[in-house]
Amino acid sequence: MTAENSQTIYLKDYQAPAYLVDHLALEFDLHPTATRVRSTVKFRPNPNSSSSEFFLHGENLTFLSAYINGAAVTPVITEAGLSCTVPDGPFIWQSEVEINPSANTELSGLYMSNGMFCTQCEAEGFRRITYYPDRPDVMAPFDVTIHSDLPYALSNGEPMRDEGQTRRWQDPWPKPAYLFALVAGEFQVVSDHFTTASGKPVDLNIYVRDGDQDKCAFALEALKASMAWDERVYGREYDLSVFNIVAVDDFNMGAMENKGLNIFNSSAVLASPETTVDGNFERIEAIIAHEYFHNWTGNRITCRDWFQLCLKEGLTVFRDQQFSADMRGAEVRRIEDVAALRGRQFREDSGPLAHPVRPESFVEINNFYTATVYEKGAELIRMLKLLVGDAAYKKALDLYFARHDGQACTIEDWLAVFTDVTGQDLSQFKLWYSQAGTPIVTVRDHFADGTYELTLTQVTPPTPGQPNKQPLVIPVALGLLYPDGTEALDTQLLVLTEAEQSFRFSGLHAAPIPSLLRGFSAPVIMQRETRQAEHLVQLTHDPDLFNRFEASRELGKSALLAMLQTEAAPDDAYCGALLQVMVNEDLDPAFRAMCCALPGQDEIARALAEQGQTPDPVAIDAAVHQLSEHLARQG
Ligand code: SER
Ligand code: ZN
């Protein structure tokens, strides 16, 4: 968007669309520099709107003609779209435009990539293809005809008649324009099959450029695993007879969940054992799952407006995290997800670009595809599940799918299903969606006469535009350990709702060690004075592996800092405890490997800087080597 026409859009100004669409037919004459697009749209006035103003978005389109109920009309055209006088009741709108895919270097709308035609319509790219209400709350079945001499011409939904150079696709499921896709070009196809839980066969195809055929097997396996997982865990079946994925080199996003026709950046789908490292297999598997899961959380149920982006993204990231946890080990995945959250989202939340998971205004929606909307959005779902419990979460999701299938929804709709299922008032929890910033939870504790008292205080620092913060609902999963490593208290969920709250545990025979925020139960910064002896017990005995890992990191950091600051020898207690973890065959080898990796040198540099010292990279490197060698000699 250019500076002249940029304007701030507010959530509070939302207005329902004046017209709804019952059906949309699109016809493309593909040409690299002069593609013709004809549309036939069945409009009807929206009974829930008081407006009768007819406006269609449109950008960079060459208008050729328009008709209403077969009679030519002359709309008023601006840079943003067109308006026109329309009949009182339902009517048929037809228009023809010309577009230039070769000149589309923004890769939004219809563009060329290595001789193929490709689209990206999220968030507002469809308006660069034809005049249409390009907003997610206008959903319609699409019928797409493509004329092209290219070997393949794909769109959403079911393939219909294939007559030489004319290919037709019908998508029976009403969808917003941002989920439209068209791809045409020369491809190699790698195929497989899946049979849904109710016995419906689905053709799975990955379209790649010649030479990449042998890099699709992993993605196909991941796709089948995702389909089976969504049936098993969420009761969600696929709803078309074909699921197509296309790999393209020029693509702004990682991948896109267009109905029945996912488009992937090649790097997010192609893998071969010879050239792909382990971490990349995990990433591909997670992205395949993410886009597939959008079929229900995003496509069948979509967002009312772009402020609600977290409704589909937070939930879908949470679902792909659950899937990866099931596929590859929950603890290791959680440790990695939290590291990413802290590295990207916490940083965002403490800087000039901090914004709520559901922003209240934007100038350019493309700037809001952020770690906050995606990753913090997923943390909110995780907390909700923890707060209501697994059984209620499942019931709430079933209700969400039953109640809102085919609709464009809001965070209010989402939270209402949880309230309806559990009777819980979630108004305070909802603050997580509107309040930016990472809460800091400070811990004080005290033990006397067999009673342990834990006092938690929460503060959310000011963020741009939000100087004053309210207390949030913070689920704190807690366990207690005795100094000999035995369990004093199994995991309990403390729910912090006030600025300060105390919790008491009695009948204890020794001062316990708190294992706080188990599994990273809330996206907060927990502050407690470091106690080396406690961390040693946690590293060797905490049943919560996330906290075991945290203890290993803390110990590693203090060992290195002591070496750098006081020329201390490598910490033998830490090395000994780590050794116990290394040889513990009950633990997942991937987890053991993670514990043994020392904190990154950047982390040590940051810790030194925080203490007012100038980090010396050579000294840090030497200390890390010395400690690693010490560990290796002990092992
Ligand atoms: N909607 C896309 C996705 O999240 C954009 O990247 O998968
Ligand atoms: Zn997504």
Side-chain angles (χ1 to χ4, degrees):
M1 196 181 269
T2 53
E4 308 89 75
N5 63 10
S6 57
Q7 66 184 94
T8 306
I9 301 166
Y10 294 92
L11 167 60
K12 64 175 167 45
D13 292 343
Y14 172 81
Q15 303 234 314
Y19 295 87
L20 300 176
V21 175
D22 288 327
H23 187 264
L24 165 62
L26 289 170
E27 195 172 349
F28 290 83
D29 299 333
L30 290 184
H31 185 281
T33 56
T35 287
R36 291 285 176 101
V37 186
R38 287 177 292 280
S39 72
T40 305
V41 193
K42 286 187 184 160
F43 279 109
R44 107 183 113 87
N46 181 0
N48 298 317
S49 164
S50 51
S51 163
S52 58
E53 195 193 324
F54 182 72
F55 175 78
L56 303 179
H57 296 100
E59 271 176 31
N60 279 10
L61 306 172
T62 303
F63 174 84
L64 298 175
S65 61
Y67 300 83
I68 288 179
N69 292 335
V73 290
T74 310
V76 177
I77 297 179
T78 68
E79 271 184 12
L82 67 72
S83 27
C84 194
T85 311
V86 299
D88 266 350
F91 59 93
I92 293 178
W93 164 268
Q94 286 170 293
S95 75
E96 182 165 9
V97 299
E98 189 175 293
I99 53 179
N100 182 351
S102 296
N104 183 349
T105 50
E106 289 171 49
L107 314 189
S108 158
L110 179 68
Y111 62 93
M112 305 298 297
S113 169
N114 288 332
M116 60 175 272
F117 291 83
C118 182
T119 55
Q120 170 59 27
C121 292
E122 186 176 6
E124 298 180 332
F126 192 75
R127 62 190 62 185
R128 298 160 61 89
I129 293 176
T130 190
Y131 288 103
Y132 192 71
D134 185 9
R135 41 186 292 168
D137 55 354
V138 173
M139 300 174 82
F142 281 48
D143 184 330
V144 177
T145 304
I146 308 166
H147 307 287
S148 164
D149 55 9
L150 289 164
Y152 289 97
L154 314 171
S155 191
N156 317 89
E158 304 286 2
M160 307 305 284
R161 157 191 97 216
D162 188 349
E163 285 174 2
Q165 300 192 343
T166 295
R167 264 63 56 102
R168 189 164 166 206
W169 295 81
Q170 278 181 347
D171 185 358
W173 301 106
K175 67 167 176 291
Y178 82 86
L179 290 172
F180 167 77
L182 181 155
V183 174
E186 223 175 297
F187 296 104
Q188 296 297 319
V189 194
V190 183
S191 303
D192 207 331
H193 301 280
F194 182 82
T195 305
T196 68
S198 65
K200 292 193 216 94
V202 184
D203 290 334
L204 313 176
N205 305 302
I206 302 188
Y207 295 79
V208 294
R209 104 176 131 202
D210 195 18
D212 285 338
Q213 297 91 306
D214 57 348
K215 297 184 188 147
C216 299
F218 180 77
L220 278 170
E221 287 310 313
L223 176 59
K224 288 187 286 180
S226 306
M227 296 174 88
W229 186 91
D230 214 14
E231 291 180 347
R232 196 172 69 246
V233 180
Y234 280 85
R236 299 295 108 203
E237 241 183 68
Y238 188 59
D239 52 6
L240 291 167
S241 70
V242 50
F243 189 88
N244 288 325
I245 291 177
V246 185
V248 297
D249 290 334
D250 304 294
F251 200 64
N252 279 342
M253 305 193 165
M256 179 63 210
E257 70 263 25
N258 316 299
K259 183 76 185 192
L261 178 55
N262 284 192
I263 299 180
F264 275 61
N265 196 310
S266 306
S267 72
V269 56
L270 302 178
S272 66
E274 294 79 38
T275 57
T276 308
V277 295
D278 280 2
N280 226 16
F281 281 109
E282 288 169 24
R283 174 172 166 265
I284 290 169
E285 182 180 79
I287 300 178
I288 292 272
H290 179 94
E291 305 310 333
Y292 176 72
F293 296 157
H294 267 314
N295 190 52
W296 275 93
T297 52
N299 302 2
R300 288 286 286 260
I301 303 180
T302 194
C303 304
R304 187 193 71 174
D305 52 69
W306 293 116
F307 296 103
Q308 322 292 330
L309 183 57
C310 63
L311 178 77
K312 72 177 178 85
E313 295 304 345
L315 178 54
T316 305
V317 170
F318 178 64
R319 277 153 48 71
D320 83 54
Q321 289 178 350
Q322 285 183 297
F323 168 77
S324 298
D326 283 356
M327 299 290 287
R328 295 183 178 260
E331 284 86 6
V332 167
R333 292 299 322 159
R334 186 65 182 143
I335 290 166
E336 285 177 349
D337 289 343
V338 173
L341 182 81
R342 284 173 170 157
R344 295 177 51 212
Q345 200 281 322
F346 280 21
R347 208 165 286 184
E348 185 168 274
D349 232 356
S350 64
L353 297 178
H355 57 274
V357 170
R358 180 169 71 173
E360 270 149 33
S361 69
F362 63 73
V363 174
E364 171 54 70
I365 183 57
N366 289 321
N367 295 337
F368 281 89
Y369 286 75
T370 60
T372 297
V373 169
Y374 278 65
E375 270 85 36
K376 189 174 178 183
E379 292 299 315
L380 305 199
I381 314 284
R382 185 181 296 273
M383 282 194 285
L384 201 49
K385 181 164 181 280
L386 207 53
L387 287 164
V388 301
D390 291 352
Y393 175 80
K394 192 172 185 317
K395 266 196 193 158
L397 267 285
D398 288 345
L399 179 59
Y400 179 64
F401 293 123
R403 186 185 278 176
H404 294 297
D405 187 12
Q407 295 179 5
C409 295
T410 60
I411 290 304
E412 282 73 15
D413 295 325
W414 163 253
L415 290 176
V417 298
F418 284 85
T419 298
D420 291 351
V421 161
T422 63
Q424 284 185 39
D425 174 4
L426 293 170
S427 46
Q428 191 187 1
F429 182 82
K430 197 176 162 198
L431 285 172
W432 276 107
Y433 285 96
S434 57
Q435 196 166 276
T438 306
I440 297 169
V441 177
T442 310
V443 182
R444 295 196 313 272
D445 56 354
H446 175 76
F447 177 76
D449 304 328
T451 297
Y452 177 66
E453 187 178 80
L454 192 65
T455 301
L456 304 178
T457 309
Q458 60 162 309
V459 173
T460 303
T463 51
Q466 293 188 336
N468 303 310
K469 308 286 185 173
Q470 295 173 54
L472 295 162
V473 179
I474 301 180
V476 178
L478 168 84
L480 297 177
L481 301 174
Y482 283 124
D484 66 359
T486 55
E487 253 189 316
L489 180 80
D490 199 1
T491 307
Q492 309 266 309
L493 193 67
L494 311 181
V495 183
L496 180 62
T497 56
E498 288 161 36
E500 181 168 309
Q501 236 168 305
S502 294
F503 303 87
R504 259 172 230 97
F505 307 88
S506 51
L508 300 167
H509 63 69
I513 297 159
S515 169
L516 284 151
L517 212 64
R518 282 185 162 176
F520 202 66
S521 58
V524 302
I525 294 167
M526 179 126 321
Q527 288 185 339
R528 183 164 176 271
E529 168 196 325
T530 316
R531 299 174 200 183
Q532 166 96 354
E534 296 186 338
H535 281 148
L536 286 171
V537 176
Q538 286 193 273
L539 174 54
T540 46
H541 291 87
D542 201 322
D544 183 69
L545 296 192
F546 182 83
N547 277 356
R548 259 198 199 199
F549 173 78
E550 294 269 280
S552 81
R553 272 297 143 107
E554 285 307 315
L555 288 165
K557 198 159 82 181
S558 30
L560 286 168
L561 288 177
M563 290 165 72
L564 287 159
Q565 291 171 324
T566 65
E567 293 183 17
D571 178 347
D572 276 332
Y574 161 60
C575 295
L578 211 47
L579 211 58
Q580 282 188 47
V581 173
M582 277 189 228
V583 300
N584 185 342
E585 296 201 343
D586 293 338
L587 297 171
D588 176 359
F591 171 77
R592 287 188 267 158
M594 274 178 143
C595 283
C596 294
L598 294 175
Q601 302 199 9
D602 53 335
E603 202 179 324
I604 300 305
R606 215 173 317 124
L608 286 168
E610 276 164 16
Q611 297 176 17
Q613 292 161 22
T614 311
D616 173 356
V618 178
I620 295 175
D621 190 57
V624 168
H625 273 97
Q626 196 191 345
L627 186 55
S628 308
E629 270 173 27
H630 190 77
L631 274 169
R633 268 200 304 276
Q634 293 211 333

